[in-house]
Amino acid sequence: MDVAASRDRMDCVRFLDAASSQQTNQNPKKVANLKKEAIKEAEKGIQLCEKVKKKHQSKMDKMQHRADNTGSVSEASMASAFSKGGTMSGINEQFSKLIAADKSGSLTARVKGTLQKNRPQNQSVPSRGQNPDSSLSLSTRRELYERDFPVYKQPVEVGCFSLDSERRFFNDGRQMRYYVEPDRSPNFDLRDGYKDRFIKRDDSVKEKLDHMLRWILANRSKLSARGTTASSCDLDIDFVTWRGHLTKLLTAPYETREGWQLAVTRFRGTLYISEVETEAARRDQENRTERHEEMMYWGYKFEQYTCADTVHGQPDPGGVLNTNEAFCTVVQTRLADHRLLFSGEVDCRDKDPNAPAAPACYIELKTSAEICTPKQRSNFHRFKLLKWWAQSFLPGVPRVVAGFRDEEGVVVAMETFPISKISHLIKNEHNCWKPTVCMNFCSDFLSFVKHIATEDNPSVVYLLSWEPRRDVTFSVHRDSPYCFLPHWFVEEMTSSQPSHQS
Ligand code: A3P
Ligand code: MG
């Protein structure tokens, strides 16, 4: 039922729900016994899990102890870096605490590290040009990340860019849209225009990080380290990536269906992360049903009903919908000791001239199947809100406006979800997702990347691969089709000083 709900297959949810009620009515004793057994099994599982956690911690302690004794820069000491995460100190930086409003992680014992290793432990950190030990892996088990919420600095918008109807890049906000609040029950028909007024972006064109890289070249002076060293023209940033890639990292400890592959290249001290389409994702895309294709349009159609192109304008649902067009924010922030620069598409902004500065004035629009039963509500909390929270929390977008639709694609209700309230909403769900687990996993993943991706070379790719219920593993590729930093970027970054744009 959970899986069906997470895929918006309400027909299946209803069928299973009815079957379950029927069984409860017909065989109440049998159902009660099965429930008892299931609870016993779950309790056993919890005990086992506690044991695994203790074992893991003791292993990490031992690694730490060995590192302390040898005094060398070993993987063991790197492992301790994985436990550095963040503390609840640094009140000024506690955007994390404000917007995530999550305390669930602070109750559990701090887990020392999350690095897994199958080989002898006192191995040196790989040096330049030497491949790192590929037996290193990183666990995604939730319980390993239940510790204090890491420092997450308030994201600051350092710029924006737009992509026009032909996917051309502009270093400005020309594609910004303004939210126009609809009725509480607006009856928007999301199917309208699918057949005759829809231009769909060609998703077989893999744009990788190209738009972000264009933005970086145009805004280099804003990002360069100040100082007089030879490397002063390098970016003052550890990681460059898309927000969507980070969302996948945040949700990985709870993801049970879709794996991912992330290509990483270290270039002039900065780590660039770009997604690689997995075989499974390619197959899914090829085998999409017509109904699924149409439902993907519904989310964009909802945006067209609720957004105007100008601050005093009105939405134009009769116009052509072109999914090439996009407005993207570029934000800078820090997660634990990782300085991040990432970009994400923004649906629209509050049109009130007194609204706070970006990204606090931005609004994320979402559609979802209407909620008719407690089970559906619970599934919405467990699956949808996790994705919504992760996507908006990262760039500091404070609210999601949701349109709930019936099976015919008609929006029957509206609701606003402040991001800071989402962790309260899910509080009563048993064994639900926790913001602290998401953020700690992401932080440890980035530490892992820093540790393995040591060679600074635009033609070397470290490919990090993950499948649900497995550890994150990696492989190293030189001059391969995985290379994703384009020549125009590498050359411009290598040959010239940043042009001083305002
Ligand atoms: P919904 O999220 O309301 O379904 P976003 O909400 O991230 O701005 O994306 C806008 C819309 O793009 C989505 O609206 C959905 O229609 C479509 N979309 C985005 N990512 C998708 C994905 N991975 N699979 C299917 N549809 C997607
Ligand atoms: Mg949206």
Side-chain angles (χ1 to χ4, degrees), residues 142 145 149-150 246-247 249-254 335 386 389-390 393 433-444:
R142 299 161 198 181
Y145 302 95
F149 203 94
L246 294 174
T247 305
L249 291 173
L250 259 62
T251 55
Y254 299 101
L335 169 60
L386 164 61
W389 173 82
F393 176 73
W433 59 273
K434 292 173 181 158
T436 198
V437 168
C438 302
M439 297 305 282
N440 280 317
F441 172 70
C442 184
S443 172
D444 284 11

Coordinates of all heavy atoms in Angstrom, one line a residue, residues 142 145 149-150 246-247 249-254 335 386 389-390 393 433-444:
R142 N 19.9 4.3 8.1 CA 19.4 5.5 8.8 C 20.0 5.7 10.2 O 20.3 6.8 10.6 CB 17.9 5.4 9.0 CG 17.2 5.3 7.7 CD 15.8 4.8 7.9 NE 15.3 4.3 6.6 CZ 14.1 3.8 6.4 NH1 13.3 3.6 7.4 NH2 13.8 3.4 5.2
Y145 N 23.0 7.8 11.1 CA 23.0 9.3 11.0 C 22.1 10.0 12.0 O 21.8 11.2 11.8 CB 22.6 9.6 9.5 CG 23.6 8.9 8.6 CD1 23.3 7.7 8.0 CD2 24.8 9.5 8.3 CE1 24.2 7.0 7.2 CE2 25.7 8.9 7.5 CZ 25.4 7.6 6.9 OH 26.4 7.0 6.2
F149 N 21.8 17.7 14.7 CA 21.6 18.3 13.3 C 22.9 19.0 13.0 O 23.4 19.8 13.8 CB 20.4 19.3 13.4 CG 19.8 19.5 12.0 CD1 18.7 18.8 11.6 CD2 20.4 20.5 11.2 CE1 18.2 19.0 10.3 CE2 19.8 20.8 10.0 CZ 18.7 20.0 9.5
P150 N 23.4 18.8 11.8 CA 24.7 19.5 11.4 C 24.5 21.0 11.2 O 23.3 21.4 10.9 CB 25.1 18.8 10.1 CG 23.9 18.3 9.5 CD 22.9 18.0 10.6
L246 N 21.5 17.1 -4.8 CA 21.6 17.1 -3.3 C 20.3 16.5 -2.7 O 20.4 15.8 -1.7 CB 21.9 18.5 -2.8 CG 23.2 19.1 -3.1 CD1 23.3 20.6 -2.7 CD2 24.4 18.3 -2.5
T247 N 19.2 16.8 -3.3 CA 17.9 16.3 -2.8 C 18.0 14.7 -2.8 O 17.5 14.1 -1.9 CB 16.7 16.7 -3.7 OG1 16.8 18.1 -3.8 CG2 15.4 16.3 -3.2
L249 N 20.6 13.0 -2.4 CA 21.5 12.6 -1.3 C 20.7 12.6 0.0 O 20.8 11.7 0.8 CB 22.7 13.5 -1.2 CG 23.7 13.3 -2.4 CD1 24.8 14.3 -2.3 CD2 24.3 11.9 -2.3
L250 N 20.0 13.7 0.2 CA 19.2 13.9 1.5 C 18.2 12.7 1.7 O 18.0 12.3 2.8 CB 18.4 15.2 1.5 CG 19.1 16.4 2.3 CD1 20.4 16.7 1.7 CD2 18.2 17.6 2.3
T251 N 17.6 12.3 0.6 CA 16.5 11.3 0.7 C 17.0 9.9 0.6 O 16.3 8.9 0.9 CB 15.4 11.5 -0.3 OG1 16.0 11.5 -1.6 CG2 14.7 12.9 -0.1
A252 N 18.3 9.7 0.3 CA 18.9 8.3 0.1 C 18.6 7.4 1.3 O 18.2 6.2 1.1 CB 20.3 8.4 -0.3
P253 N 18.8 7.8 2.6 CA 18.6 6.8 3.7 C 17.1 6.3 3.7 O 16.9 5.3 4.4 CB 18.9 7.6 4.9 CG 19.8 8.7 4.4 CD 19.3 9.1 3.1
Y254 N 16.2 7.0 3.0 CA 14.8 6.5 3.0 C 14.3 6.0 1.7 O 13.2 5.6 1.5 CB 13.9 7.7 3.5 CG 14.3 8.1 4.9 CD1 15.0 9.3 5.1 CD2 13.9 7.4 6.0 CE1 15.4 9.7 6.4 CE2 14.2 7.8 7.3 CZ 15.0 8.9 7.4 OH 15.3 9.3 8.7
L335 N 27.4 23.3 4.7 CA 26.9 22.2 5.4 C 28.1 21.6 6.2 O 29.0 21.1 5.5 CB 26.3 21.1 4.5 CG 25.9 19.8 5.1 CD1 24.9 19.9 6.3 CD2 25.3 18.8 4.1
L386 N 8.6 14.1 2.5 CA 10.1 14.0 2.6 C 10.7 14.7 1.4 O 11.6 15.5 1.5 CB 10.5 12.5 2.7 CG 12.0 12.2 2.3 CD1 12.9 12.9 3.3 CD2 12.2 10.7 2.3
W389 N 10.1 18.5 1.4 CA 10.9 19.1 2.4 C 12.4 19.3 1.9 O 12.9 20.3 1.9 CB 10.9 18.4 3.7 CG 11.8 18.9 4.7 CD1 11.7 20.0 5.6 CD2 13.2 18.5 5.0 NE1 12.8 20.2 6.3 CE2 13.8 19.3 5.9 CE3 14.0 17.4 4.4 CZ2 15.1 19.2 6.4 CZ3 15.3 17.3 4.9 CH2 15.8 18.1 5.8
A390 N 12.9 18.1 1.5 CA 14.4 18.1 1.1 C 14.6 19.1 0.0 O 15.6 19.9 0.0 CB 14.8 16.7 0.6
F393 N 14.0 22.8 1.5 CA 14.9 23.2 2.6 C 16.3 23.6 2.1 O 16.9 24.5 2.6 CB 15.0 22.0 3.6 CG 15.9 22.2 4.7 CD1 15.6 23.1 5.8 CD2 17.2 21.6 4.8 CE1 16.5 23.3 6.8 CE2 18.1 21.8 5.8 CZ 17.7 22.7 6.8
W433 N 10.6 9.5 8.6 CA 11.9 10.1 8.2 C 12.2 11.3 9.1 O 11.3 11.9 9.7 CB 11.8 10.6 6.8 CG 10.8 11.6 6.4 CD1 9.5 11.4 6.1 CD2 10.9 13.0 6.4 NE1 8.8 12.5 5.8 CE2 9.7 13.6 6.0 CE3 12.0 13.9 6.7 CZ2 9.5 15.0 5.9 CZ3 11.8 15.3 6.6 CH2 10.5 15.8 6.2
K434 N 13.5 11.5 9.2 CA 14.0 12.6 10.1 C 15.0 13.5 9.4 O 15.9 13.0 8.8 CB 14.8 12.0 11.3 CG 13.9 11.2 12.2 CD 14.7 10.5 13.3 CE 13.8 9.6 14.2 NZ 14.5 8.6 14.8
P435 N 14.7 14.8 9.4 CA 15.6 15.8 8.8 C 17.1 15.6 9.1 O 17.9 15.7 8.3 CB 15.1 17.1 9.2 CG 13.6 16.9 9.5 CD 13.5 15.5 10.0
T436 N 17.3 15.3 10.4 CA 18.7 15.2 10.8 C 19.4 14.0 10.1 O 20.6 14.1 9.8 CB 18.8 15.1 12.4 OG1 20.1 15.4 12.8 CG2 18.4 13.7 12.9
V437 N 18.7 12.9 9.9 CA 19.3 11.8 9.2 C 19.7 12.2 7.8 O 20.8 11.9 7.3 CB 18.4 10.6 9.2 CG1 18.8 9.5 8.2 CG2 18.2 10.0 10.6
C438 N 18.8 12.9 7.1 CA 19.0 13.4 5.7 C 20.2 14.3 5.7 O 21.1 14.1 4.8 CB 17.8 14.2 5.2 SG 16.2 13.3 5.3
M439 N 20.3 15.2 6.6 CA 21.4 16.2 6.5 C 22.7 15.6 6.9 O 23.8 15.9 6.3 CB 21.1 17.4 7.4 CG 19.9 18.2 6.9 SD 20.0 18.8 5.2 CE 21.0 20.2 5.4
N440 N 22.7 14.7 7.9 CA 24.0 14.1 8.3 C 24.5 13.1 7.2 O 25.7 13.0 7.0 CB 23.8 13.3 9.6 CG 23.8 14.3 10.8 OD1 24.7 15.2 10.9 ND2 22.9 14.1 11.7
F441 N 23.6 12.4 6.6 CA 24.0 11.5 5.5 C 24.7 12.4 4.4 O 25.8 12.0 3.9 CB 22.9 10.7 4.9 CG 23.4 9.9 3.7 CD1 24.3 8.9 3.8 CD2 23.0 10.3 2.4 CE1 24.8 8.2 2.7 CE2 23.5 9.7 1.3 CZ 24.4 8.6 1.5
C442 N 24.0 13.5 4.0 CA 24.6 14.3 3.0 C 26.0 14.8 3.4 O 26.9 14.8 2.6 CB 23.6 15.5 2.7 SG 24.2 16.5 1.3
S443 N 26.1 15.3 4.6 CA 27.4 15.8 5.1 C 28.5 14.7 5.0 O 29.6 14.9 4.5 CB 27.2 16.3 6.5 OG 28.4 16.7 7.0
D444 N 28.1 13.5 5.5 CA 29.1 12.4 5.5 C 29.4 12.0 4.0 O 30.6 11.6 3.7 CB 28.6 11.2 6.3 CG 28.7 11.4 7.8 OD1 29.0 12.6 8.2 OD2 28.5 10.5 8.6

